[in-house]
Amino acid sequence: MDLPHQGYRASKQRGRAAPMGGESVLFDDTSTSAVNTQGYYTPGYNMAGPPNDMQPGVNNLFADPMANAAMMYGSSLANQGKDMVGKEISRFMAVNKLKYFFAVDTRYVLKKLMILMFPYTHQDWEVRYHRDTPLPPRQDVNAPDLYIPTMAFITYILLAGMALGIQKRFSPEVLGLCASTALVWVIIEVLVMLLSLYLLTVHSDLSTFDLLAYSGYKYVGMIFTLLCGLLFGSDGYFVALAWSSCALMFFIVRSLKMKILTSLASDSMSTGSSAKPQVRMYMTVATAIFQPVIIYWLTSHLVR
């Protein structure tokens, strides 16, 4: 019975023996080893930074003149692309041209309203230029603008809502229908004029914004007609309609004369035909005559 007991002691003593050639160690340092003695993976945490061998490479990358030149070239390409996109947007949106039609002041607005309501006293209808560029509206009262048509359109919608409210017929649907109808009539009128100018090959400096401005001036007469109808009834409405219609027709003919009819002589000399100038003149008169029809159509249902 002694032999097994002695064998057990011998094996136990061999297991507790200290490592050869060194001091006794209570715990083994396994922080730097990824795999322990049994073959299992032990995760370790390396709190130190990247090796010192990589830092010179990174510094050389940012200090390399070729890398700096590539970065500068890339930024210049980005700026050029941004400028090209801005130019394309400006070309399609015509932002600068749109700003021209809103370059107004109080003095211009008052004078323009007086001309729209009393055009018979105005003598000089010629649009002034500076170096082949028309002067802005605040410097030339004959220049077309979009400020007055825009404000007149909004005022007309508000006045129509008030008229419908007085007659107890107001509803958002009716007011929306009134606004959309007025806007659609202007768009149709501008498209018809553009198509007529294209088919008749009229060479003029009339743009879409110009036609939109001249077509939108009718809202001033509509406001005057609607106010007189609300204040003085049907009699005041028809008197105001006759006055604003005649004033607007006179204004349209005299204004478009400098834009369309001035090219009659040169076009007739180049083509040798007298039919086209007459058709253009008829088109100008038809545009003026069509204005009272639209005014009556858009205001008659608001006055009772």
Side-chain angles (χ1 to χ4, degrees), residues 114-115 117-123 125 242-243 245-248 250:
M114 291 298 296
I115 294 175
M117 298 307 301
F118 306 97
Y120 315 106
T121 59
H122 191 61
Q123 301 297 329
W125 293 87
W243 178 270
S245 299
C246 294
L248 185 60
F250 187 85

Side-chain angles (χ1 to χ4, degrees), residues 35 53 59 65 81-82 93 104 113 115 227:
V35 181
D53 297 338
N59 295 331
K82 182 179 178 181
M93 297 297 291
V104 300
L113 291 177
I115 294 175
L227 280 175

Side-chain angles (χ1 to χ4, degrees), residues 173-299:
E173 292 80 10
V174 175
L175 187 62
L177 180 62
C178 181
S180 60
T181 303
L183 187 60
V184 167
W185 271 111
V186 173
I187 295 175
I188 291 175
E189 183 181 355
V190 171
L191 292 178
V192 169
M193 294 182 66
L194 287 174
L195 182 61
S196 302
L197 293 174
Y198 175 76
L199 294 177
L200 297 175
T201 63
V202 177
H203 303 286
S204 64
D205 57 350
L206 278 173
S207 63
T208 305
F209 291 136
D210 292 325
L211 298 177
L212 189 61
Y214 288 121
S215 179
Y217 284 136
K218 69 170 62 69
Y219 292 118
V220 178
M222 292 166 59
I223 294 171
F224 175 72
T225 303
L226 192 56
L227 280 175
C228 291
L230 294 176
L231 295 176
F232 306 106
S234 60
D235 295 336
Y237 170 78
F238 285 107
V239 171
L241 178 63
W243 178 270
S244 60
S245 299
C246 294
L248 185 60
M249 287 191 296
F250 187 85
F251 173 82
I252 291 295
V253 171
R254 294 302 300 268
S255 298
L256 294 182
K257 180 180 180 181
M258 300 296 173
K259 299 289 186 178
I260 297 178
L261 301 182
T262 52
S263 61
L264 294 180
S266 59
D267 290 344
S268 61
M269 291 176 61
S270 60
T271 59
S273 176
S274 60
K276 284 187 177 181
Q278 292 179 358
V279 173
R280 297 174 194 179
M281 190 178 299
Y282 294 154
M283 184 191 69
T284 305
V285 176
T287 303
I289 295 176
F290 192 62
Q291 304 302 316
V293 178
I294 302 179
I295 293 176
Y296 177 78
W297 178 264
L298 296 177
T299 57

Side-chain angles (χ1 to χ4, degrees), residues 51-63:
N52 295 329
D53 297 338
M54 295 178 62
Q55 294 180 358
V58 175
N59 295 331
N60 292 333
L61 177 62
F62 288 100

Side-chain angles (χ1 to χ4, degrees), residues 150-187:
T150 303
M151 294 296 105
F153 176 79
I154 297 174
T155 306
Y156 163 73
I157 299 302
L158 296 176
L159 196 59
M162 186 181 69
L164 293 172
I166 292 174
Q167 301 170 13
K168 296 181 180 180
R169 296 188 295 124
F170 176 80
S171 65
E173 292 80 10
V174 175
L175 187 62
L177 180 62
C178 181
S180 60
T181 303
L183 187 60
V184 167
W185 271 111
V186 173
I187 295 175

